[in-house]
Amino acid sequence: MFIGFSEAELFLRNCEDAVIITHRNPDGDCIGAGFGLKDILAQLGIRSRVICHDGFPARYSFLTSEGAGEEFEPKTIIAVDIADENLMGDYKDIYGDKVQLCIDHHISNKNYAEKTLLRSDATAACEIIYDLAQYMGVKITRHCAMCLYTGISTDSGCFKYDCTTPRAHEIAAEMMRSYDINFARINRYMFDVKSLGRLKLEAMVNELMEYCLGGRLAIAAVTQDMMKDMGVSMEELEGFAPLTIQLENTEVGILMREREDGVFKCSFRSANDVNVSAICQSIGGGGHAKAAGCTIDGPLEEAKKHLIAAVERALS
Amino acid sequence: MFIGFSEAELFLRNCEDAVIITHRNPDGDCIGAGFGLKDILAQLGIRSRVICHDGFPARYSFLTSEGAGEEFEPKTIIAVDIADENLMGDYKDIYGDKVQLCIDHHISNKNYAEKTLLRSDATAACEIIYDLAQYMGVKITRHCAMCLYTGISTDSGCFKYDCTTPRAHEIAAEMMRSYDINFARINRYMFDVKSLGRLKLEAMVNELMEYCLGGRLAIAAVTQDMMKDMGVSMEELEGFAPLTIQLENTEVGILMREREDGVFKCSFRSANDVNVSAICQSIGGGGHAKAAGCTIDGPLEEAKKHLIAAVERALS
Ligand SMILES: [Mn+2]
Ligand SMILES: [Mn+2]
């Protein structure tokens, strides 16, 4: 059932011993939303614990270091930034059908929870939680402000992408004025700082990039052999697809990664108006207009030809 | 003489045939401020022309394509985003001592104009111009909003850096609500899109990076020979210094570029709290706490040793 702020407030003010679930491969938004909500519940005298199938990466320790909360038998199950209970990982079996409140901004939300506070026009779950705290009249802490800022900033690409709302900017302004958060340092760690490994992988992907269709398509393929040579896994190459559309005239970018079974996992990106979801659907995949994917069998050169032909059809 | 909004309004409402000067190596802020102010003057029925020693780069054509203004004998001289008349290039000789109004946000402003509207706490000159238009009650156009957004976004690193003010966020929110500007496309072209040449130079600089002092210092040196090999000039390597501090543990980064006379121009960056201005001052240079510079004679290896020693002294 979809609910509004007043019902969400009623729920939160009357809950006890809450577990707050965040999604697998946690990002700034679910971590910020989880730890931010934990702070808000603490203001209300309610104890809670934030959990994640994958734990919390070290780069978010500036938000998580105060601890995710003590152990207790949960009486309340809350999910934040989780559109689908399958994104809970192992926690799906324990809590998947017991979520009482879900706070989310994904239009694809499966409505799996008892009550869902969904605002699909929000930049981030953190934007909803900030507005909810304001609505409830809870004065948030500086730590909570840092959590919520981080979620808004990371999900919007530092206010860069289409999904950025005017409200996201207004909240950032309010947080800077009222809480003196060290936003520049947060943004440096979220956006500018890289590991040496990441730097080397970026160099590799850039090196591999081929430009086709008069430069309108850029395609890079990373094979299992290359991954073994570099000592990296498929997962470590997650998030490199945007590199394929950094060139001025590129309209579509594809990053191909070979799985152990020789099948290529392909991530498509669109720089402007080309709908890559439609292209992927035409070859058995799917996704969003600007970010989509498919799988395709090897060998590499044939697979590439197939992909290039599909893009060519879409561009003509 | 430093003036406030009321006097700036009086000046603008009563001026005629204005030339608006922007600084050399024009950036998003001076171009946005120049073309934004031109729009505002047009609303008041005043014609103006935006000029720049270097012309306006093609990547800003989404702001400049309507034209910089017709030719006329100027009766009013305005400078935007120019702290020092030396930044006018050839226009210094013609207009340097004749500027009647300067609108600027640089604390280093030399107060060279007859009247200067200086707000050194503003993110960008465009932030001042937006607030001035509001103060004057001038309804800006969508094109003007795009100009001013571009200046605020580029000077703040897309709201990422320390210099971002709460007001910058508020203005962005107002522009998004009222003018439906295509901010995501602006940001893509300002921040994400690169030329193939730039991509290759980045790869080169990353390749050249050496890590010293236990990784706390990163240093990259580009020699004249390398520039000749790559077919690039010193100027094209402008703006690569931030690459030196992209690694997690780096505290100080130095990009060295060899001039034709064999002297190395060195750009320092600080990732966190180290004051690189102080380091540069200790070896005859200067600048800001987080971005500073100096020159040093070759040969390269000796110059490098000298720089490393200066950084080591500061870190200990
Ligand atoms: Mn998320
Ligand atoms: Mn400037």
Side-chain angles (χ1 to χ4, degrees):
Chain A
M1 187 179 72
F2 293 111
I3 61 166
F5 277 11
S6 74
E7 210 170 328
E9 168 168 20
L10 202 68
F11 179 89
L12 289 178
R13 286 199 182 276
N14 293 293
C15 77
E16 272 187 276
D17 293 354
V19 142
I20 305 169
I21 314 173
T22 58
H23 61 70
R24 290 200 64 162
N25 300 318
D27 56 18
D29 191 28
C30 75
I31 294 175
F35 283 81
L37 182 58
K38 178 175 183 298
D39 264 22
I40 290 166
L41 290 174
Q43 305 280 316
L44 302 173
I46 298 159
R47 65 177 177 173
S48 64
R49 183 167 73 243
V50 190
I51 61 174
C52 179
H53 173 95
D54 297 310
F56 303 110
R59 59 195 290 262
Y60 296 102
S61 62
F62 69 102
L63 300 179
T64 63
S65 63
E66 286 175 24
E70 56 188 307
E71 284 290 328
F72 51 74
E73 192 53 50
K75 297 187 183 132
T76 307
I77 316 296
I78 301 173
V80 290
D81 196 40
I82 300 184
D84 181 328
E85 64 267 50
N86 285 308
L87 299 171
M88 294 180 188
D90 287 349
Y91 287 119
K92 184 199 167 189
D93 295 337
I94 317 176
Y95 299 124
D97 57 357
K98 294 187 186 66
V99 178
Q100 292 153 288
L101 175 66
C102 168
I103 302 177
D104 190 22
H105 68 119
H106 294 95
I107 187 129
S108 56
N109 189 288
K110 286 265 172 65
N111 197 10
Y112 59 87
E114 211 175 290
K115 297 172 201 280
T116 300
L117 174 61
L118 179 72
R119 266 179 44 192
S120 60
D121 58 342
T123 307
C126 284
E127 183 177 320
I128 309 173
I129 290 175
Y130 181 87
D131 279 343
L132 181 59
Q134 296 279 93
Y135 178 89
M136 293 172 66
V138 177
K139 204 184 145 15
I140 65 173
T141 62
R142 181 169 186 265
H143 174 259
C144 182
M146 282 173 55
C147 288
L148 301 180
Y149 179 92
T150 301
I152 292 171
S153 176
T154 52
D155 259 22
S156 66
C158 209
F159 309 94
K160 198 196 282 173
Y161 301 138
D162 254 336
C163 61
T164 310
T165 57
R167 186 71 194 130
H169 278 293
E170 286 164 358
I171 292 172
E174 288 173 23
M175 284 175 173
M176 287 163 68
R177 284 198 201 282
S178 304
Y179 302 98
D180 188 34
I181 55 173
N182 199 340
F183 64 93
R185 185 168 288 208
I186 294 175
N187 289 330
R188 173 168 155 77
Y189 280 96
M190 294 298 104
F191 297 106
D192 290 344
V193 161
K194 295 170 182 176
S195 66
L196 192 55
R198 170 140 198 129
L199 210 60
K200 287 192 170 146
L201 289 179
E202 277 193 18
M204 177 185 72
V205 172
N206 281 334
E207 192 65 37
L208 290 169
M209 207 82 70
E210 292 172 59
Y211 302 97
C212 325
L213 307 176
R216 298 173 77 187
L217 169 64
I219 189 165
V222 189
T223 62
Q224 278 288 323
D225 282 349
M226 290 175 192
M227 291 180 214
K228 274 169 199 149
D229 277 358
M230 297 277 295
V232 297
S233 64
M234 289 277 289
E235 289 68 40
E236 286 172 272
L237 281 164
E238 210 74 63
F240 286 79
L243 290 181
T244 60
I245 52 166
Q246 65 188 322
L247 220 62
E248 206 165 343
N249 301 318
T250 306
E251 291 174 61
V252 176
I254 307 175
L255 178 64
M256 303 173 69
R257 289 174 293 158
E258 189 184 14
R259 293 196 317 217
E260 292 207 1
D261 62 3
V263 172
F264 286 89
K265 212 178 150 180
C266 307
S267 303
F268 283 61
R269 289 292 181 277
S270 166
N272 297 309
D273 304 318
V274 180
N275 183 341
V276 287
S277 172
I279 299 178
C280 287
Q281 275 170 34
S282 78
I283 48 180
H288 303 281
K290 299 214 159 203
C294 69
T295 52
I296 189 166
D297 291 338
L300 177 58
E301 287 311 317
E302 261 175 58
K304 236 190 244 177
K305 257 183 223 158
H306 198 70
L307 296 176
I308 294 171
V311 174
E312 190 168 24
R313 278 194 303 275
L315 288 180
S316 66
Chain B
M1 187 177 71
F2 293 111
I3 61 168
F5 277 11
S6 75
E7 210 171 329
E9 168 167 21
L10 201 69
F11 179 90
L12 289 177
R13 286 199 183 276
N14 293 294
C15 76
E16 271 188 277
D17 292 355
V19 143
I20 305 170
I21 314 172
T22 59
H23 61 70
R24 289 200 65 164
N25 301 315
D27 56 19
D29 190 29
C30 74
I31 294 175
F35 283 81
L37 183 58
K38 178 176 182 297
D39 265 22
I40 290 166
L41 290 174
Q43 304 280 316
L44 302 173
I46 298 159
R47 66 177 177 173
S48 64
R49 183 168 74 242
V50 191
I51 60 173
C52 179
H53 173 95
D54 298 310
F56 303 110
R59 59 196 291 262
Y60 296 103
S61 62
F62 69 102
L63 300 179
T64 63
S65 63
E66 287 176 22
E70 56 188 308
E71 285 289 327
F72 52 73
E73 191 54 47
K75 296 188 182 129
T76 307
I77 316 298
I78 301 173
V80 291
D81 196 38
I82 300 184
D84 180 329
E85 64 266 49
N86 285 308
L87 299 170
M88 294 179 186
D90 287 348
Y91 286 121
K92 184 198 167 192
D93 295 337
I94 317 175
Y95 298 124
D97 57 358
K98 294 187 186 66
V99 177
Q100 291 153 289
L101 176 67
C102 169
I103 302 177
D104 190 24
H105 67 120
H106 295 95
I107 188 133
S108 56
N109 189 287
K110 287 265 173 66
N111 197 11
Y112 59 87
E114 210 173 294
K115 297 171 202 281
T116 300
L117 175 61
L118 179 73
R119 268 179 43 193
S120 60
D121 58 342
T123 307
C126 285
E127 184 178 319
I128 309 173
I129 290 175
Y130 181 87
D131 279 343
L132 181 59
Q134 296 279 95
Y135 178 89
M136 293 172 65
V138 177
K139 205 185 145 14
I140 65 173
T141 62
R142 181 169 186 266
H143 173 259
C144 183
M146 282 173 57
C147 288
L148 301 181
Y149 178 92
T150 301
I152 292 171
S153 176
T154 52
D155 259 21
S156 67
C158 209
F159 310 93
K160 197 195 283 172
Y161 301 137
D162 254 337
C163 61
T164 311
T165 57
R167 186 71 194 129
H169 278 292
E170 286 164 359
I171 293 172
E174 287 173 23
M175 284 175 174
M176 288 162 69
R177 286 199 200 283
S178 305
Y179 302 98
D180 188 34
I181 54 172
N182 199 338
F183 63 92
R185 186 167 287 210
I186 293 175
N187 289 330
R188 173 169 154 78
Y189 280 96
M190 293 297 104
F191 297 106
D192 290 344
V193 161
K194 294 170 183 176
S195 66
L196 192 55
R198 170 142 196 128
L199 211 58
K200 287 193 170 147
L201 289 180
E202 277 193 17
M204 177 185 71
V205 172
N206 281 333
E207 192 64 39
L208 290 170
M209 208 82 71
E210 293 172 57
Y211 301 96
C212 326
L213 306 176
R216 299 174 76 188
L217 169 66
I219 188 165
V222 190
T223 63
Q224 278 289 322
D225 282 351
M226 291 173 189
M227 292 181 213
K228 275 169 198 150
D229 276 1
M230 298 277 294
V232 297
S233 63
M234 289 275 292
E235 289 67 41
E236 286 173 271
L237 281 163
E238 210 74 64
F240 285 80
L243 291 181
T244 60
I245 52 165
Q246 65 188 320
L247 221 62
E248 207 166 341
N249 300 317
T250 306
E251 293 176 59
V252 176
I254 307 175
L255 178 63
M256 303 173 70
R257 290 176 293 159
E258 189 184 14
R259 293 195 317 215
E260 293 208 1
D261 61 3
V263 172
F264 285 90
K265 212 177 150 179
C266 307
S267 302
F268 283 62
R269 288 293 180 277
S270 167
N272 297 310
D273 304 317
V274 179
N275 182 342
V276 288
S277 172
I279 298 178
C280 287
Q281 276 171 32
S282 78
I283 48 180
H288 303 282
K290 298 214 160 202
C294 70
T295 54
I296 189 166
D297 291 338
L300 178 57
E301 287 312 317
E302 262 176 58
K304 237 191 242 174
K305 257 184 225 160
H306 198 67
L307 296 176
I308 296 170
V311 174
E312 191 168 24
R313 278 195 304 273
L315 290 179
S316 67

